[in-house]
Amino acid sequence: VQASSSNADALTAALAWLAGRGPELGRLLGALVAQNSHSQNRQGVNQVVDLLEPELRRLSLTVERIPGNRFGDHLAFRGRAHGAAVFLIGHTDTVFRPGSFEGFQVDGDLGRGPGAFDMKGGLVVTLAALEALNQAGLLARIPMAGMWVSDEEVGSPESQPILRSRAAGSACALGFEAGRTGDRIVTQRKGVASVTAVGAGVAAHAGNAHEKGRNAIWALARYVDRVQALTDYPRGLTVNVGRFEGGTSKNTVPSGARCEIDLRFCTAEDGQRLLERVESMAWSAAVEGTLIEVTRGSIRPPMVRTPASEELAREYGACQVESGLSSGESPLVGGGSDASVTSAAGIPSIDGLGPRGSGQHTLDEQIELSSLVPKASALVRFLARRAGAAS
Ligand SMILES: [Zn+2]
């Protein structure tokens, strides 16, 4: 067929164009990494967005810069082709506070710097693939869209509803978080919820009026004992009281105590039930005259593996293998990401499609620069096929 052979030629042209771009992609990554963009560094995040926005606009995409409130701005983009889109997910923020880890260094094939692996490298992979498809005249024929948020590392509190609205109706979602060992694709992640419990009692002198006091630490300690016991490893449920504080002095019955709790779960139902139990235990654990108040913090739903996401991982894995990479599925991971948000919205979602590297969230964060082109080639192949361009 005339059309499909010309699409195949366009795919070949896109891949050939990409093959020569390695050094340029390294330079783009360097510019993105050199700018600190810790989640709380709103101005820094916006400067990274300033670098990315014109790159997207050059591709004749519809680009929307959505002002952040507490955090930096988000970027949403959409191609011109109609139809259920392939939705590309990324984030511009990092976990590194200004001054804690700065600058970009190249050492042979390694590119080191804050956010190089998580996940500015994934943004470069995405941009490179889109540009290659654009150069070959294919991009305008592929239904695609995406969003790069500014608050992922703190649980996407502001961007979650925006991401859900921009991704609605998409055929599938691809996350370009840090690549896993062996280029394995992430199909499942635990859900994460954070909860704060505050105990209130009555202060009294420990020597003169012990019986008049109501010990908030005792109440909260009983509570901690009960909620920790909800951990169920076979079911993938964990409760971790990670911070605990209270009291003012050894000889005062404490009137206040506070703890922070991290909850992880494999299904939305388990998460709901766990949260309800953690809340109801506040009543049974409190000692007479004390009160425990439980407040929900950020909640990220689990990314649940489905037949559709499994099929998506297979299809993407084939594109990776054709691009000289490996394939396979990653075992269940404990940390959430924005692909969990699209997954919970019913969109088949996979993640971990970014470059090879190591040291995520540490001062050794680095990527293998030579993996940028093959990772981008895999996305080029996947998108071209979705458009029916290369059968
Ligand atoms: Zn990340």
Side-chain angles (χ1 to χ4, degrees):
V1 183
Q2 181 67 41
S4 85
S5 84
S6 81
N7 280 350
D9 291 348
L11 173 59
T12 306
L15 293 169
W17 185 87
L18 196 53
R21 299 315 259 192
E24 200 169 311
L25 300 184
R27 280 195 290 277
L28 175 60
L29 178 65
L32 295 173
V33 171
Q35 172 57 55
N36 178 283
S37 62
H38 180 249
S39 313
Q40 310 289 348
N41 178 7
R42 189 175 167 193
Q43 204 185 358
V45 171
N46 282 340
Q47 268 160 24
V48 168
V49 172
D50 286 344
L51 292 172
L52 294 167
E53 190 179 349
E55 299 285 332
L56 290 169
R57 291 200 186 275
R58 273 196 308 131
L59 304 173
S60 321
L61 302 171
T62 305
V63 180
E64 204 188 345
R65 182 165 177 155
I66 304 156
N69 182 18
R70 274 193 301 141
F71 302 96
D73 297 348
H74 314 292
L75 279 173
F77 48 95
R78 187 166 290 277
R80 279 169 289 169
H82 296 289
V86 174
F87 197 85
L88 310 173
I89 299 174
H91 64 85
T92 49
D93 61 327
T94 75
V95 297
F96 299 100
R97 293 184 183 283
S100 64
F101 180 28
E102 296 279 4
F104 183 69
Q105 277 137 31
V106 176
D107 178 5
D109 187 37
L110 299 177
R112 289 200 181 94
F117 191 36
D118 183 9
M119 60 159 282
K120 290 172 176 175
L123 301 179
V124 171
V125 164
T126 306
L127 269 177
L130 296 182
E131 184 158 18
L133 290 163
N134 194 44
Q135 289 285 336
L138 273 176
L139 186 60
R141 284 145 58 190
I142 300 165
M144 55 76 51
M147 185 166 166
W148 293 340
V149 311
S150 65
D151 58 350
E152 196 275 343
E153 294 292 1
V154 290
S156 306
E158 274 184 19
S159 63
Q160 271 196 50
I162 308 170
L163 177 62
R164 268 196 296 275
S165 78
R166 297 307 184 278
S170 295
C172 64
L174 309 177
F176 290 84
E177 287 281 0
R180 297 304 196 270
T181 308
D183 306 317
R184 286 191 204 109
I185 296 170
V186 176
T187 52
Q188 43 188 343
R189 291 176 180 275
K190 286 189 181 183
V192 190
S194 48
V195 162
T196 302
V198 175
V202 178
H205 191 288
N208 299 335
H210 187 276
E211 73 287 353
K212 294 204 176 106
R214 296 291 179 264
N215 194 316
I217 290 182
W218 183 24
L220 205 60
R222 283 164 44 113
Y223 177 71
V224 167
D225 185 43
R226 287 168 202 208
V227 295
Q228 280 281 150
L230 294 172
T231 294
D232 181 347
Y233 293 125
R235 212 180 160 93
L237 283 182
T238 60
V239 176
N240 183 59
V241 179
R243 296 199 67 219
F244 191 106
E245 61 196 11
T248 52
S249 70
K250 183 180 79 70
N251 57 0
T252 304
V253 176
S255 63
R258 182 178 185 279
C259 69
E260 290 172 23
I261 312 170
D262 176 288
L263 309 173
R264 310 245 165 182
F265 41 88
C266 294
T267 67
E269 299 74 46
D270 274 3
Q272 194 52 41
R273 206 170 311 127
L274 185 60
L275 273 164
E276 283 164 10
R277 292 186 72 186
V278 161
E279 282 166 342
S280 67
M281 277 180 171
W283 297 101
S284 58
V287 289
E288 204 204 324
T290 67
L291 191 69
I292 296 171
E293 199 175 345
V294 177
T295 314
R296 294 184 185 195
S298 73
I299 300 175
R300 183 127 54 184
M303 177 178 181
V304 181
R305 186 173 181 265
T306 64
S309 70
E310 205 184 320
E311 174 57 33
L312 179 60
R314 251 201 309 276
E315 192 188 340
Y316 203 93
C319 296
Q320 290 188 165
V321 170
E322 283 176 51
S323 305
L325 299 162
S326 302
S327 179
E329 273 187 58
S330 170
L332 174 67
V333 287
S337 87
D338 283 328
S340 307
V341 176
T342 52
S343 165
I347 301 165
S349 304
I350 56 175
D351 201 358
L353 308 178
R356 292 176 177 175
S358 61
Q360 197 175 359
H361 292 196
T362 76
L363 302 182
D364 288 322
E365 195 167 307
Q366 52 188 268
I367 69 153
E368 295 175 24
L369 293 167
S370 59
S371 68
L372 289 169
V373 167
K375 291 276 182 167
S377 302
L379 178 55
V380 163
R381 286 188 161 91
F382 181 86
L383 286 173
R385 264 164 219 201
R386 283 265 152 168
S391 54

